[in-house]
Structures are given as C-alpha cells and as structure tokens.
C-alpha cells in the first residue's frame, strides 16, 4: 500500500514511545521511576468533575457550535482580559481539542508550501511536525544553556527571510522550564512588529511559575503586536485536565474565521459536557492551581539541587513548568542511548533531548511524587557514576 507522502515527512512522538515502554515495564511489575510524564500527577479538581457531571445530567450531550459553547468563549475572553491584559472579545476565541489542536489548526489555516516558521530549539516536539504537515518549512534556531535556552532578538531577526510567516513562542517552556522576562518578551515583540511577521504564543504553562518569575503575554504589549499575535492555551496543565481535551486559541478575526472553517470540517465542537467542566475551572476559585504549584515548587528545588550535585550533569534552574533540562555532554553519550540504558539498567525513565532538537540533553519531568523523585535521583547518580 502506498501511504501519503506527508506521513513520511513526520516522525512519531519519541516522548510517547519512552513513556509507553516505561508503562509496559510497570505493568509487568517492574519498579520503574518515571520522569517522563508530560502531565500533572494530580487528579482533576472535584468541582470541575462535578460541573461536567451536572452538564451530562442536564443533557448537554449534543452537538454545539463548532467554535465552542458561547458561555465558555465568554469566560475565556474575560480570563484573557483579566489575567493577561489581552484585549480579546468572545468572537476572537475558538475552543479546540486541547492546546495541541489549536496549534495544529492554526498551522493549517496559515501555512502553505514555501512558508517558513521560526522555532527556537529546544522546542516542544510537535511544533516542527505540525509545520511539516501543513507543507511549511520549520526554521530551527538553536539556543544555549548559557542564555537559559532563550532566543535573543538578534537571533530572531537573523532567522527572518521574506518567506517567514510565523514565529513560535513558548514561555514558560517545555522542555526547559525557561521563562522569558517581560523585558525580553518586549524586545522580541519589537522585532516581530518591525519585520511584520506573526507570532503564536503557546501559554499553556503560564500558571506554573516559581519564585518571582513573571509571565507577560506577548499580545498584551500594544495593539500593533496584538494584531500579529495568536494566543494558544488550555486547561490541561493549569487544572490537571489533560484527558479532557479542552484548549483554545485567541486570534484576530480573519484568522479566527479561517480556523473556525477548518474546525467545522475536522473535529467540530469539543465534547460538550467537557466544556462545562472548563467553565467551572475558570469561574471557581483558583486555589487548586495554587496547591499544585506548591507541590511542584518543592520538587523543583529538590531536583535542581540533586541533579547539579551529580558529577557530569548540570541544568539551569527553571523558572516555570514542571521540567528540568539537564546537559549530559560530559558523559559522552547521545541522549537516546543515555535514556535507553538508564531505563534498561536502572529502570528510570526520562526523555532524550534529541526529541526536542538538542541531543546533548535529557528532560526530567517532576510531575511525580517526592518518593519516586528521591529514589529515581539515587539510581540516576549510580548510573552516571558507573
Ligand atoms: C501539553 C502541551 C500543550 C497542549 O496540550 P493539550 O493536552 O493538547 O492541551 C501545548 N504545548 C505544550 C508546550 C505542551 O507541553
């Protein structure tokens, strides 16, 4: 059988492959310490589940508008105005099947053959694949640990060509946990406006910030940048709702209409009663978000110190998200070999940096309990020492 050529252009998700291998080992009764999770380890807060159950009981089980329930679009617009100082109305919002589909849909709406999309590395592994699936060309710009894995305005400007359409910006970042300061965000926005390109700001980790880190939504700076910004977000990471598949994009009207058209012929509306859970997530107390943050903060401090205490490993202190990105160059191993050997000999799962465009690093997720973290770090130290 001959499959479509686009299938060969993309790679399967390495994150999911290692996680699946770790899960299969666990299922066989093997004692695995997993740092591979890309999702919070907490259950979805009860009041959110209750709201979805009530919606189910009330018969909210039918097709809804493809762009999302009006009440949820309004609640999202309010949230973006209040929390992020982003001047959007409900008409600028599309509710999507997770933050992932908001990005995928955007690429379909915007990108075609010949278009270049600038992506700083290390990157979330789906970005380049989504660009390729839209026939576009990902332009990868490597950042370095010395600069906390941040792209500089000079690097961005140098990467721009007449073919550049879009810059993909992710702060706080997966896989590094890096958070750009408001001044750094403003400096990037200046380049974007001057060079007249678009930016998609993936803000899925905006609520997971440590110490005095501040999140600035790039679209909030002024009207010039807002007209060139698509903001992507969702409930998966902030409210531990990964399986619910509720995310959203906010965009200027013309782009929003294009995304609505694509959505109407692909996923249609997000599961109707799940959207009612999302309304509750936005409109009730945010105490649950704070509780998770407190747990993440403790683990992050512990992990950061423990990994830097292992000879041959080092990582910058992340300001956000729930990942640490450790440099393994001194071990002389490539990231995939390192992770495979670590899993096979010590039953510790981590994600190879090559999946994120950086082969001298590996990603540890600390979305797991302290006991697993302590045991996993101990085994990791033994592994590196050998
Ligand atoms: C988890 C994640 C998303 C979106 O996840 P969904 O489950 O689709 O909402 C988007 N971007 C990054 C960087 C992520 O880590």
């Amino acid at each position: 059988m001959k499959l479509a050529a686009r299938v060969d252009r993309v790679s399967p998700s390495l994150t999911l492959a290692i996680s699946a291998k770790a899960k299969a080992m666990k299922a066989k009764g093997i004692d695995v310490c997993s740092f591979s999770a890309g999702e919070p380890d907490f259950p979805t807060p009860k009041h959110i589940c209750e709201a979805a159950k009530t919606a189910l009981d009330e018969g909210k089980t039918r097709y809804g508008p493809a762009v999302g329930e009006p009440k949820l679009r309004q609640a999202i617009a309010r949230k973006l105005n209040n929390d992020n100082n982003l001047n959007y109305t409900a008409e600028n919002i599309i509710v999507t099947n997770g933050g992932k589909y908001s990005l995928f849909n955007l690429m379909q709406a915007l990108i075609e053959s010949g278009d270049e999309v600038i992506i700083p590395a290390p990157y979330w592994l789906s970005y380049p694949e989504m660009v390729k699936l839209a026939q576009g060309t990902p332009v990868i710009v490597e950042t370095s640990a010395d600069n906390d894995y941040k792209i500089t305005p000079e690097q961005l400007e140098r990467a721009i060509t007449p073919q550049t359409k879009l810059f993909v910006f992710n702060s706080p970042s997966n896989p590094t946990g890096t958070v750009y300061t408001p001044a750094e965000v403003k400096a990037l926005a200046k380049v974007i406006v001057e060079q007249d390109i678009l930016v998609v700001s993936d803000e899925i980790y905006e609520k997971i910030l440590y110490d005095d880190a501040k999140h600035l939504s790039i679209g909030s700076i002024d009207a010039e940048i807002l007209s060139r910004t698509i903001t992507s977000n969702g409930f998966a990471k902030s409210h531990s709702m990964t399986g619910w598949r509720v995310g959203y994009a906010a965009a200027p009207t013309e782009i929003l209409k294009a995304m609505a058209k694509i959505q109407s012929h692909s996923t249609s509306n997000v599961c109707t009663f799940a959207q009612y859970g999302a309304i509750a997530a936005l409109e009730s107390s945010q105490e649950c978000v704070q509780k998770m943050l407190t747990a993440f903060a403790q683990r992050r401090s512990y992990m950061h110190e423990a990994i830097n205490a292992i000879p041959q490993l080092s990582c910058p202190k992340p300001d956000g998200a729930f990942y640490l990105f450790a440099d393994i160059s001194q071990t002389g191993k490539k990231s995939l070999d390192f992770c495979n050997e670590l899993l096979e000999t010590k039953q510790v799962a981590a994600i190879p940096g090559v999946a994120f465009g950086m082969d001298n690093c590996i990603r540890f997720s600390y979305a797991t309990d302290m006991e697993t973290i302590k045991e996993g770090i101990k085994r990791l130290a033994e592994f590196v020492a050998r």
Side-chain angles (χ1 to χ4, degrees):
M1 188 180 23
K2 189 185 174 301
L3 297 174
R6 77 176 68 86
V7 178
D8 287 330
R9 277 199 292 268
V10 299
S11 343
S13 166
L14 258 182
T15 331
L16 296 182
I18 295 253
S19 309
K21 197 166 164 185
K23 269 186 194 156
M25 286 169 71
K26 254 188 190 161
K28 274 198 235 155
I30 300 170
D31 170 26
V32 178
C33 295
S34 183
F35 294 109
S36 64
E39 58 181 335
D41 53 316
F42 306 100
T44 304
K46 267 219 168 67
H47 65 280
I48 298 174
C49 298
E50 289 304 330
K53 283 185 205 167
T54 304
L56 248 181
D57 289 340
E58 286 174 351
K60 303 258 177 5
T61 57
R62 328 270 310 203
Y63 288 140
V67 288
E69 291 293 300
K71 236 185 120 184
L72 178 54
R73 294 173 79 201
Q74 283 156 13
I76 292 168
R78 260 197 307 278
K79 179 260 178 230
L80 291 173
N81 276 276
N82 294 343
D83 289 12
N84 305 84
N85 201 20
L86 287 166
N87 191 8
Y88 292 118
T89 68
E91 281 68 46
N92 297 114
I93 312 296
I94 183 168
V95 181
T96 57
N97 196 56
K100 194 177 248 181
Y101 192 75
S102 104
L103 297 161
F104 184 89
N105 184 333
L106 175 71
M107 297 302 173
Q108 293 294 316
L110 220 51
I111 303 304
E112 60 191 355
S113 177
D115 289 340
E116 294 177 358
V117 178
I118 299 173
I119 303 173
Y123 45 74
W124 186 46
L125 70 181
S126 292
Y127 298 142
E129 308 309 305
M130 289 173 177
V131 172
K132 289 189 256 172
L133 285 169
Q135 324 275 300
T137 307
V139 174
I140 308 298
V141 178
E142 280 219 9
T143 64
S144 71
D146 301 339
N147 195 36
D148 282 343
Y149 299 111
K150 290 171 185 170
I151 188 172
T152 64
E154 295 75 29
Q155 280 181 306
L156 175 61
E157 189 156 1
R158 254 183 276 130
I160 294 173
T161 75
Q163 281 69 51
T164 305
K165 197 138 190 196
L166 180 68
F167 168 53
V168 180
F169 185 53
N170 175 218
S171 174
S173 150
N174 176 5
T176 62
T178 289
V179 180
Y180 287 69
T181 66
E184 288 163 342
V185 177
K186 285 178 188 163
L188 292 173
K190 190 160 171 276
V191 176
I192 291 159
V193 171
E194 277 171 6
Q195 302 289 324
D196 197 19
I197 62 169
L198 295 167
V199 57
V200 56
S201 182
D202 181 353
E203 306 189 356
I204 197 97
Y205 294 101
E206 61 157 340
K207 296 292 179 197
I208 308 178
L209 295 174
Y210 307 112
D211 300 339
D212 46 9
K214 281 205 170 47
H215 171 76
L216 177 69
S217 292
I218 195 164
S220 71
I221 295 168
D222 59 29
E224 282 286 303
I225 185 75
L226 186 64
S227 68
R228 292 171 177 82
T229 300
I230 302 93
T231 306
S232 179
N233 205 332
F235 298 86
K237 312 293 163 55
S238 57
H239 293 81
S240 201
M241 291 172 69
T242 45
W244 292 61
R245 312 312 303 136
V246 193
Y248 55 89
T253 313
E254 192 185 356
I255 297 176
L256 205 281
K257 280 188 177 154
M259 292 177 73
K261 213 193 242 186
I262 289 168
Q263 183 142 301
S264 74
H265 291 298
S266 50
T267 62
S268 289
N269 67 279
V270 169
C271 171
T272 306
F273 49 88
Q275 293 189 61
Y276 283 83
I279 294 170
L282 285 179
E283 300 203 322
S284 328
S285 153
Q286 301 301 300
E287 203 186 310
C288 54
V289 177
Q290 288 310 309
K291 262 193 192 153
M292 291 190 256
L293 184 60
T294 306
F296 286 141
Q298 282 169 351
R299 302 163 181 181
R300 165 233 188 206
S301 295
Y302 180 86
M303 289 259 310
H304 175 252
E305 273 183 33
I307 287 180
N308 279 308
I310 299 174
Q312 303 186 42
L313 299 189
S314 66
C315 66
K317 195 168 194 178
D319 288 317
F322 39 70
Y323 308 106
L324 281 151
F325 205 56
D327 190 314
I328 57 160
S329 315
Q330 287 185 50
T331 67
K333 283 193 195 299
K334 293 211 176 284
S335 63
L336 191 56
D337 295 336
F338 188 102
C339 290
N340 272 326
E341 287 168 32
L342 180 63
L343 184 57
E344 274 155 29
T345 63
K346 290 286 175 186
Q347 295 78 48
V348 173
I351 307 293
V354 66
F356 311 104
M358 206 155 270
D359 205 9
N360 60 327
C361 293
I362 58 177
R363 189 192 78 178
F364 294 97
S365 158
Y366 46 92
T368 186
D369 58 278
M370 269 313 270
E371 205 180 322
T372 305
I373 291 173
K374 286 185 177 163
E375 173 64 21
I377 291 282
K378 194 179 114 221
R379 294 187 200 174
L380 173 70
E382 289 165 4
F383 175 77
V384 175
R386 281 197 327 188

